[in-house]
Amino acid sequence: MSDKKEKISAIKGMNDILPADAPLWELFENTAESVLKSYGYQKIVTPIVEETGLFARAIGAVTDIVEKEMYSFEDSMNGDKLTLRPEGTAGVVRAVIEHNLAYDGPKRVWYKGPMFRHERPQRGRYRQFFQFGAEAIGFSGPDIDAELIMLCRRLWDDLGLDEIRLELNSIGNADERQRHRADLIAYFEANIDVLDAEAKRRLHANPLRILDTKNPAMQDLVNAAPQLLSYLGEESLAHFEGLKKILDANNVQYTVNPRLVRGLDYYNRTVFEWVTDALGAQGTVCAGGRYDPLIETFGGKPTPGIGFAMGMERLIELMKAQGEPAAPSQCDVYMVHQGQEAQMKAFILAERIRDAGLDVVLHCATPAGAGSFKSQMKKADGSGAAFAVIIGEDEVANDVVAVKSLRGEVQGGAGDGAQQQASVPFTEAVDYLVDQIVGAHDHDHDHEHVHYHP
Ligand code: ATP
Ligand code: MG
């Protein structure tokens, strides 16, 4: 028997988030959640798997996602056609209708979680990626559009991200798009030799999406194409003007990008993207838009909606580019011990310290053994703890513990002269540590381990 085992790796395009990066993710999520909360948004969690038909209908048949990116499979038990969610809006809208969530008025919700798209993996483009999104269901005016946009701005500000700009457009309603579409098709047909294969394929199915092309050879053509904005009727224009007015009054900078589209039937009026130049080709960190007709097409009562989704990997990369966060500490207290009796006392004391609300790492044995005092103290230093609690034979004999400050001077207490280490009776150790650690933070019980310096 060979003891060479086959190495197992993650699926291509699907990433692990390792402990070293976890603090950044946590910081992003905590900040986003508190911003959302400050605007009255509530959390919603929907399943990662839905019926394939939901996405086909909510996203639109002639889109990148539905045409070629969905992870779809048959349930091997009953043959149901299922899909790993490629985005969050469809599931939220399904849940809103299924549970009649908007029955007593409009709702503001947010979600976060993994999405799955079978794309070619590259920087900023993965097969499993995380989105943080919000949906406002039941609001029709431009005020909610502005709120969602300004909520994003507040998040960038809170995270210290200043290289993100806003692009804005209105895609009107279905009638307006229909008239524009006819002219657009005629325009592209007159220039058919400039279209690439994908554009030709989309010419009659989804010509609006051709405007989105990244093909350099087609840029002049799409730049001179008929602009949807000039087909907007009075109501759509008033909505767009209303949005811009609120943004202007609140000092939100934006550029109107007439080529910004959502090529989906159920999207209308406001579309926006937050874009950065700091990430190379995949620079869109957040995309949003209105989808007023969507809920009705799913059999719900006519209910307007608007939302956005942020690509979390791209935002984490932006945060990294601004500077690494300070190394996070694992714990407040690291417990060092030597000998069986000391280990027992350490275990009991660690539980009591946790009861008091502090975080404790108890030194535990590895295959190499429990380790000398010296090697345990090294671990204590590396943990980022404020204090090491040391229990050896002498401490057991005298019913005390040694408390060593790892980050500076001990405040008060029975110092040993150097003010770095104190001998504290076993029964007073918890109070002593709480006093040292919580007291040092002005009795701020909500002490943080992770500090991020942009
Ligand atoms: P693109 O045109 O770049 O493919 P999209 O229109 O497919 O973008 P949306 O469906 O609007 O993107 O998704 C919202 C956000 O989610 C994007 O702006 C991006 O930040 C992020 N995102 C989308 N697809 C991926 C992916 N495969 N990997 C990482 N992040 C992604
Ligand atoms: Mg895409």
Side-chain angles (χ1 to χ4, degrees), residues 20-84:
D21 270 350
L24 260 189
W25 284 78
E26 223 167 75
L27 178 66
F28 177 83
E29 290 173 49
N30 291 344
T31 311
E33 283 171 31
S34 87
V35 168
L36 263 316
K37 186 167 174 289
S38 77
Y39 286 80
Y41 287 69
Q42 294 178 302
K43 183 174 184 172
I44 186 165
V45 181
T46 65
I48 284 172
V49 180
E50 301 267 5
E51 280 180 22
T52 303
L54 173 71
F55 300 115
R57 283 174 61 196
I59 300 169
V62 194
T63 54
D64 283 348
I65 294 179
V66 173
E67 277 185 329
K68 55 190 185 197
E69 295 174 359
M70 294 208 301
Y71 279 95
S72 298
F73 56 97
E74 267 187 22
D75 186 325
S76 61
M77 303 297 163
N78 57 15
D80 285 353
K81 291 187 168 34
L82 306 177
T83 294
L84 297 183

Side-chain angles (χ1 to χ4, degrees), residues 6 22 25 46 92 120 155-156 192-193 242 245 253 255 295 302 311 337 353 358 377 392 402 440 443:
E6 207 179 312
W25 284 78
T46 65
V92 169
R120 189 170 68 78
L155 177 59
W156 317 145
I192 194 90
D193 43 316
K245 206 166 148 192
Q253 314 286 319
T255 43
I295 291 180
H337 50 84
I353 300 170
L358 298 178
M377 281 309 292
H443 297 274

Side-chain angles (χ1 to χ4, degrees), residues 3-192:
D3 43 18
K4 238 220 152 94
K5 305 248 165 49
E6 207 179 312
K7 214 165 105 195
I8 299 178
S9 15
I11 292 164
K12 194 174 163 206
M14 303 199 179
N15 302 312
D16 300 307
I17 299 165
L18 300 176
D21 270 350
L24 260 189
W25 284 78
E26 223 167 75
L27 178 66
F28 177 83
E29 290 173 49
N30 291 344
T31 311
E33 283 171 31
S34 87
V35 168
L36 263 316
K37 186 167 174 289
S38 77
Y39 286 80
Y41 287 69
Q42 294 178 302
K43 183 174 184 172
I44 186 165
V45 181
T46 65
I48 284 172
V49 180
E50 301 267 5
E51 280 180 22
T52 303
L54 173 71
F55 300 115
R57 283 174 61 196
I59 300 169
V62 194
T63 54
D64 283 348
I65 294 179
V66 173
E67 277 185 329
K68 55 190 185 197
E69 295 174 359
M70 294 208 301
Y71 279 95
S72 298
F73 56 97
E74 267 187 22
D75 186 325
S76 61
M77 303 297 163
N78 57 15
D80 285 353
K81 291 187 168 34
L82 306 177
T83 294
L84 297 183
R85 65 178 183 196
E87 55 94 56
T89 305
V92 169
V93 162
R94 194 239 343 112
V96 165
I97 297 169
E98 187 170 339
H99 305 286
N100 202 13
L101 276 191
Y103 83 101
D104 60 348
K107 287 284 172 303
R108 293 172 165 92
V109 296
W110 65 266
Y111 62 85
K112 65 175 176 186
M115 306 295 162
F116 303 85
R117 298 184 194 178
H118 201 281
E119 306 206 59
R120 189 170 68 78
Q122 54 193 292
R123 182 183 180 201
R125 199 175 279 291
Y126 310 105
R127 290 181 174 174
Q128 176 181 278
F129 60 99
F130 285 77
Q131 282 186 340
F132 207 112
E135 314 287 353
I137 309 286
F139 302 95
S140 51
D143 45 358
I144 198 81
D145 307 23
E147 175 180 290
L148 283 163
I149 287 170
M150 288 171 57
L151 180 165
C152 295
R153 178 179 70 165
R154 183 176 295 278
L155 177 59
W156 317 145
D157 284 351
D158 285 0
L159 292 170
L161 301 173
D162 48 17
E163 283 183 77
I164 307 178
R165 60 171 197 279
L166 176 62
E167 297 198 350
L168 201 61
N169 195 20
S170 173
I171 58 169
N173 63 29
D175 287 345
E176 291 152 4
R177 282 202 301 280
Q178 198 54 45
R179 288 192 294 115
H180 170 252
R181 182 191 152 106
D183 288 357
L184 196 60
I185 291 176
Y187 170 80
F188 283 135
E189 275 175 339
N191 294 280
I192 194 90

